[in-house]
Amino acid sequence: MTYLVLSYAHQAEMPYHEWLPEIKDQLILFVNGEISNSFNRQQYSSIFSFKNYSNNGNVEREAILLNERHHIKRILALDELDLIRAAQLRELFGIEGQSVESAVTYRDKLIMKQYMRKKGIPVPDFRLINSPLDLLSFVKEHNYPVIVKPRDLVASIGVSIIRDSTELEEWLTHHFRPNMLAEKYIEGKLYHIDGLVNDGEIKLCWPSTYHTLNRYWLDTDFHSSHMLEQENPVFQRLVNLTSKVIGLMPSPKTFTFHLEVFEKPNGELLICEIASRTGWARVNKTIEYTLGVNLNCSVLRLQCDLPANTQPSLRKLGG
């Protein structure tokens, strides 16, 4: 039996052999060539390295050849850039796990927001931008500022805030490309909610608030947040909204999530976006330190039918 791991990240961030010691001799890694040397080949069944990893079609080709030689039981992927690729391979091989529909809905911000709006989940006004006229019309309708972002990138890559006509002119000159998403700017607080779902049930769900004010967070390379106390008035509202979103989305059976939510000055909550993976920027380390659960380790073990820690504990707070 073989477990295929698609890995974009360095072993220091993703020590699969430590997280899955029972099956490490059955783990085959497909890794980004730029960080392949970070993995010890003695700790895995085998490691395949790929240049231009994200766009290299030989990843899929080698996966097909591997499945012909060995029966792949699970395909594991923690990085958002691997989720659709992993889902496509699962469907091709008939393997349990996140489907293509689910991965695309959680990954493509336009499809995500269309889906949420159809299900009655509140989101900021948005529009697909395929020409400059689309953006000019959106600005005329909603005024400044507006947010423009790619449909499928991560970690705020390619996201711009356009505050006035001068910035609009500059953006159209240097940054315009089709298939972008424009959103109405939301004044207020921005939260992220992180957690773990197993067998369709939310096992861990914890909200945090960003420190950087919404208006300026795109203007700095420094971002930080802190976890909310359970007594915070918005805590349970965010947990309830998260449960509703995950219940209405085409969610996989077992996964981690990272949801971002706006709170307007009047208290209204709007969904910014959600990802079917663990949050970046040390979110996992913060959750592990505070609640005693390593989201990435736990979700991999659950996906491999191995026992995992999913119960948060506040014993570490203040210690």
Side-chain angles (χ1 to χ4, degrees), residues 112-126 183-184 186 237-238 240-242 244-245 248-249 259-264 266-274:
M112 175 194 306
K113 291 177 185 296
Q114 289 173 334
Y115 193 98
M116 289 189 186
R117 176 167 285 177
K118 183 178 180 181
K119 295 292 184 178
I121 302 172
V123 297
D125 289 332
F126 63 92
E183 290 183 0
K184 179 178 174 60
I186 302 300
R237 294 179 63 215
L238 291 170
N240 293 342
L241 179 59
T242 302
K244 179 180 179 180
V245 170
L248 291 175
M249 289 279 283
L259 171 65
E260 292 186 331
V261 176
F262 296 114
E263 182 186 21
K264 297 172 68 174
N266 65 3
E268 181 184 3
L269 300 178
L270 300 175
I271 301 300
C272 175
E273 56 194 53
I274 186 171

Side-chain angles (χ1 to χ4, degrees), residues 243-255:
S243 179
K244 179 180 179 180
V245 170
I246 289 175
L248 291 175
M249 289 279 283
S251 300
K253 178 181 174 182
T254 298
F255 71 112

Side-chain angles (χ1 to χ4, degrees), residues 31-306:
V31 302
N32 175 11
E34 296 180 3
I35 50 86
S36 60
N37 290 336
S38 72
F39 291 92
N40 185 339
R41 295 181 180 273
Q42 304 302 315
Q43 295 170 331
Y44 301 96
S45 174
S46 58
I47 298 177
F48 291 76
S49 173
F50 298 88
K51 297 179 180 179
N52 188 30
Y53 173 83
S54 295
N55 300 305
N56 191 335
N58 286 299
V59 172
E60 286 83 352
R61 175 176 172 270
E62 288 295 339
I64 292 172
L65 295 174
L66 177 65
N67 193 54
E68 290 174 351
R69 296 192 302 267
H70 310 280
H71 174 66
I72 299 178
K73 182 176 182 180
R74 293 285 186 272
I75 297 178
L76 309 173
L78 293 176
D79 194 285
E80 189 164 5
L81 297 174
D82 283 324
L83 295 182
I84 293 178
R85 172 184 267 168
Q88 291 170 335
L89 289 171
R90 288 191 197 100
E91 291 198 358
L92 179 63
F93 302 152
I95 295 174
E96 179 182 332
Q98 186 175 30
S99 68
V100 173
E101 178 194 10
S102 172
V104 170
T105 306
Y106 271 91
R107 180 88 173 84
D108 186 312
K109 295 176 177 62
L110 175 64
I111 295 175
M112 175 194 306
K113 291 177 185 296
Q114 289 173 334
Y115 193 98
M116 289 189 186
R117 176 167 285 177
K118 183 178 180 181
K119 295 292 184 178
I121 302 172
V123 297
D125 289 332
F126 63 92
R127 183 175 301 171
L128 175 64
I129 304 300
N130 270 327
S131 78
L133 293 177
D134 294 328
L135 180 57
L136 294 172
S137 174
F138 189 81
V139 170
K140 183 177 181 180
E141 180 179 354
H142 295 286
N143 298 317
Y144 299 106
V146 298
I147 303 294
V148 186
K149 63 177 72 173
R151 291 172 59 175
D152 60 355
L153 292 182
V154 298
S156 302
I157 296 172
V159 179
S160 300
I161 180 169
I162 300 174
R163 301 174 179 83
D164 52 39
S165 60
T166 300
E167 292 188 353
L168 175 62
E169 180 180 357
E170 193 276 338
W171 192 88
L172 289 171
T173 301
H174 299 289
H175 304 291
F176 173 80
R177 63 181 179 87
N179 205 28
M180 299 280 282
L181 187 68
E183 290 183 0
K184 179 178 174 60
Y185 174 82
I186 302 300
E187 185 73 55
K189 297 179 181 179
L190 182 60
Y191 301 94
H192 63 89
I193 303 93
D194 302 275
L196 170 67
V197 174
N198 182 39
D199 200 20
E201 180 182 350
I202 296 178
K203 296 296 185 180
L204 186 153
C205 180
W206 207 280
S208 301
T209 181
Y210 287 102
H211 292 151
T212 312
L213 290 176
N214 185 8
R215 180 178 293 277
Y216 303 107
W217 75 295
L218 293 173
D219 297 327
T220 176
D221 291 330
F222 175 77
H223 309 295
S224 63
S225 64
H226 71 265
M227 298 171 68
L228 297 179
E229 296 181 347
Q230 291 175 294
E231 295 75 20
N232 190 298
V234 78
F235 185 99
Q236 195 58 49
R237 294 179 63 215
L238 291 170
V239 170
N240 293 342
L241 179 59
T242 302
S243 179
K244 179 180 179 180
V245 170
I246 289 175
L248 291 175
M249 289 279 283
S251 300
K253 178 181 174 182
T254 298
F255 71 112
T256 58
F257 59 85
H258 178 72
L259 171 65
E260 292 186 331
V261 176
F262 296 114
E263 182 186 21
K264 297 172 68 174
N266 65 3
E268 181 184 3
L269 300 178
L270 300 175
I271 301 300
C272 175
E273 56 194 53
I274 186 171
S276 56
R277 46 85 179 165
T278 304
W280 290 13
R282 298 186 179 273
V283 165
N284 191 40
K285 289 184 180 296
T286 301
I287 295 289
E288 183 177 19
Y289 178 81
T290 308
L291 303 178
V293 177
N294 184 311
L295 295 174
N296 285 333
C297 174
S298 294
V299 76
L300 284 180
R301 293 186 62 81
L302 291 170
Q303 290 173 351
C304 293
D305 303 313
L306 297 171

